[in-house]
């Protein structure tokens, strides 16, 4: 196996392990409690999928970094789990 294949395999296994351990720490009552307050759920979605990318774009416009740096920051801003998303 090449190093690239090993890296993809280890990244995938690591991501699955992280997601499982985080998911197993949440109880059913905590999930149901978060669903009982749809206002907070809505605000969370709005902030994560609209406000964070908007602030990121504003900062990129302000500082005008290299275009590839812009691409990286936009990916990190719009992808949930962005730190582990780009390898996939």
């Amino acid at each position: 196996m090449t190093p690239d294949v090993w890296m993809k395999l280890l990244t995938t296994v690591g991501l699955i392990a992280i997601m499982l351990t985080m998911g197993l720490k949440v109880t059913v009552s905590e999930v149901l409690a978060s669903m009982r307050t749809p206002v907070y759920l809505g605000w969370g979605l709005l902030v994560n999928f609209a406000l964070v990318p908007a602030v990121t774009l504003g900062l990129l416009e302000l500082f005008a970094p290299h275009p590839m740096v812009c691409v990286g920051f936009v990916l990190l801003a719009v992808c949930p789990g962005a730190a582990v998303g780009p390898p996939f």
Side-chain angles (χ1 to χ4, degrees):
M1 293 179 110
T2 65
D4 288 341
V5 173
W6 276 108
M7 187 60 76
K8 288 180 183 178
L9 179 65
L10 290 174
T11 303
T12 303
V13 169
L15 178 63
I16 290 169
I18 290 168
M19 297 300 281
L20 280 175
T21 56
M22 291 303 291
L24 291 174
K25 290 180 182 179
V26 178
T27 64
V28 174
S29 61
E30 291 173 335
V31 172
L32 293 175
S34 70
M35 297 169 94
R36 286 188 200 110
T37 53
V39 173
Y40 294 137
L41 184 62
W43 276 109
L45 290 171
L46 180 69
V47 167
N48 282 310
F49 291 107
L51 188 62
V52 170
V55 168
T56 301
L57 291 175
L59 289 171
L60 290 173
E61 188 69 28
L62 178 69
F63 291 106
H66 188 272
M68 291 307 290
V69 173
C70 292
V71 170
F73 272 99
V74 169
L75 278 174
L76 289 171
V78 299
C79 296
V84 293
F88 293 109

